[in-house]
Amino acid sequence: MVALELDERTPRGIAAALARLITSGDLAPGDRLPTVRDLAAELGVSPATVSHAWQTLAAAGLITSRGRSGSFVRSAPRDWLPTRYRGLEGGDAARLDLSRGTPDPELLPALGPALARVSDRASPVSYQAKPDIPELHDLLRASWPAPVESLTVTNGALDAIDRALGTLVRLGDRIVLEDPTFPPFLDLVEFYGLEAIPVPVDAEGMRPEEFARALARGPALVLLQPRAHNPTGASMSAERADLLAALVRRSRMAERTIVIEDDHSSMISSSPEVSLANWLPERVLHVRSFSKSHGPDLRIGALGGPRTLIDRVVARRLLGPGWTSRMVQALLFDLLTEPESVAELDTARESYAARQAALAAGLAEHGVEARVGDGINIWLPVENERSAMVHLAAAGIQVAPGSPFQAGEPLPRVRVTAGMVPVDTAHDVAAALATAAARG
């Protein structure tokens, strides 16, 4: 296809030919490009010539590289988005957007009454004051999934994880993480210059045998999601957590390896709380987010673990954002303690579980096996990722591509935000998903 549009066999000519194909729509967003070596052989030029052309297209925001997975056409140049966030960037035309991985706004607790109750509590405080309000700090400690030495409030789960990585890692450190995993984790791994060791997951989390092999490579960190794993919906059992903790304890880097747990769907998860900190209290940083349960725009989460590690994170934040707004902290405390808000949260948790089950049942009726997961997402196997997404887009349904979630060679998958599908529409949506999944 490139050869047919080619005017000259120079980096500029090759880049211009690809650009024309992209802007004309002959190459669609998400299309995988030929490898540098293959295209060079086809055109009779050196790999360096094609590589320069690829660099030109990337600089223009037309293509993006996903490491060993190859180079792909990008939908639009959005340089403020990290690499894999760009891969998840959706459009606005779909009648049913199941691509975002965000909670249903109708199931979030009402903020108005809580705002009215806390609006008169704000007052100027010292820049050197403790970052957390005492009542929220005590509530978090009382509800933490394991005995915890120190806690601090952060601007959401990713803020906590980013701050922890920034204080703990060195260039070239190895990090064990799930495969698939949350795409921004892979962006953070690249940003900090870490070497990712992906471990596949099953219905209970990381697979023990593969996890043991990963630990044998001496990682500095393990990053995992104990519940409502994004994208698969898996939740770790207490037995699996015990086994993984024992493997960490017996590993050759046991005294150095830190485990970071991202409990991003904590308040809407239907699975019991679990943390490796029950077995490794001195090695685990546990993150709890309230974005899925109380609203992404609150930007609030919490980080708990050994005092020596938490103090380093707190000290670093004081040189940047300082602290999470105490007004927002007071608002969250109100939402976590007022009976009406607590009841709304219980309803949301039950609704998400029912929606997961209804969509999975609908898919099963059409011969598509999809695990009933925890939280709001379903990880759907398809014959061809691109074909499935195009077919669904034609039906007015948008889902997330599976490739940005995968650290290795991607399998054909899409992520579906089941939490946005009411039970009474699940059958019709499942039929559309099943038809798309079979498209080769």
Side-chain angles (χ1 to χ4, degrees):
M1 182 181 291
V2 175
L4 293 176
E5 296 286 332
L6 197 61
D7 293 330
E8 54 180 306
R9 286 173 168 75
T10 64
R12 180 177 178 179
I14 295 169
L18 264 295
R20 286 193 295 271
L21 292 171
I22 292 170
T23 54
S24 69
D26 289 325
L27 285 177
D31 279 352
R32 185 174 182 172
L33 301 176
T35 67
V36 168
R37 189 172 300 278
D38 286 347
L39 186 57
E42 178 183 340
L43 299 179
V45 298
S46 71
T49 299
V50 177
S51 180
H52 286 309
W54 258 224
Q55 292 171 19
T56 299
L57 290 165
L62 293 176
I63 69 171
T64 183
S65 173
R66 296 178 191 160
R68 293 181 179 178
S69 297
S71 296
F72 296 78
V73 178
R74 202 168 81 184
S75 57
R78 300 291 298 277
D79 291 338
W80 59 272
L81 285 170
T83 302
R84 286 173 179 79
Y85 263 131
R86 294 172 192 163
L88 297 175
E89 186 184 10
D92 300 318
R95 64 174 176 82
L96 182 59
D97 190 346
L98 306 181
S99 70
R100 306 288 182 172
T102 51
D104 186 344
E106 298 298 322
L107 293 178
L108 296 174
L111 296 183
L115 285 167
R117 287 189 291 267
V118 305
S119 61
D120 59 350
R121 298 185 193 176
S123 60
V125 295
S126 166
Y127 284 101
Q128 287 77 40
K130 289 185 177 180
D132 308 335
I133 63 172
E135 56 266 38
L136 179 59
H137 186 277
D138 293 345
L139 180 65
L140 291 171
R141 181 179 291 276
S143 61
W144 214 247
V148 64
E149 191 174 29
S150 184
L151 287 164
T152 190
V153 176
T154 64
N155 294 340
L158 269 180
D159 177 49
I161 293 167
D162 180 28
R163 299 291 172 177
L165 291 177
T167 60
L168 295 174
V169 302
R170 298 170 298 185
L171 181 69
D173 278 346
R174 294 187 173 103
I175 180 170
V176 176
L177 71 171
E178 297 143 332
D179 190 19
T181 190
F182 186 41
F185 291 171
L186 297 172
D187 284 329
L188 283 171
V189 165
E190 291 182 2
F191 177 81
Y192 284 106
L194 308 179
E195 179 183 341
I197 309 175
V199 173
V201 299
D202 58 23
E204 296 184 56
M206 286 189 179
R207 296 178 184 172
E209 290 185 4
E210 288 89 341
F211 184 61
R213 285 195 288 269
L215 290 174
R217 297 180 61 185
L221 287 166
V222 175
L223 177 56
L224 57 83
Q225 304 170 63
R227 296 192 294 175
H229 174 261
N230 186 357
T232 69
S235 284
M236 190 165 55
S237 65
E239 293 75 18
R240 179 63 58 84
D242 185 2
L243 178 54
L244 297 186
L247 291 172
V248 172
R249 195 182 301 112
R250 294 198 297 265
S251 68
R252 68 183 180 89
M253 294 282 285
E255 296 305 313
R256 185 185 168 207
T257 303
I258 300 296
V259 178
I260 302 177
E261 301 173 335
D262 174 25
D263 194 10
H264 53 84
S265 294
S266 60
M267 305 298 288
I268 62 166
S269 174
S270 299
S271 301
E273 288 187 310
V274 62
S275 172
L276 272 68
N278 285 296
W279 298 272
L280 299 169
E282 75 287 355
R283 314 302 308 163
V284 175
L285 290 171
H286 186 83
V287 179
R288 176 180 288 176
S289 172
F290 300 94
S291 292
K292 300 287 194 306
S293 55
H294 294 82
D297 205 44
L298 283 181
R299 310 311 305 141
I300 191 165
L303 175 68
R307 186 176 304 280
T308 53
L309 299 181
I310 299 298
D311 283 351
R312 289 167 64 183
V313 173
V314 172
R316 179 62 188 89
R317 288 190 84 227
L318 286 173
L319 297 176
W323 62 87
T324 299
S325 164
R326 294 178 178 89
M327 173 73 79
V328 175
Q329 293 187 49
L331 178 62
L332 178 62
F333 177 78
D334 185 280
L335 292 169
L336 292 174
T337 54
E338 280 294 317
E340 184 175 350
S341 298
V342 173
E344 289 175 320
L345 188 58
D346 292 338
T347 298
R349 186 184 308 110
E350 294 168 0
S351 296
Y352 287 129
R355 292 177 180 188
Q356 277 265 7
L359 193 58
L363 287 166
E365 289 178 12
H366 291 87
V368 178
E369 183 178 352
R371 180 192 306 148
V372 180
D374 190 8
I376 64 174
N377 297 306
I378 282 181
W379 189 234
L380 185 66
V382 296
E383 287 295 322
N384 181 284
E385 179 182 301
R386 179 67 189 167
S387 295
M389 293 185 65
V390 169
H391 181 82
L392 287 169
I397 300 174
Q398 187 168 336
V399 297
S403 48
F405 294 84
Q406 301 178 68
E409 186 67 26
L411 298 172
R413 300 287 188 274
V414 296
R415 189 195 66 177
V416 182
T417 304
M420 292 296 294
V421 183
V423 171
D424 59 356
T425 65
H427 185 273
D428 291 340
V429 174
L433 292 171
T435 300
R439 291 295 174 117

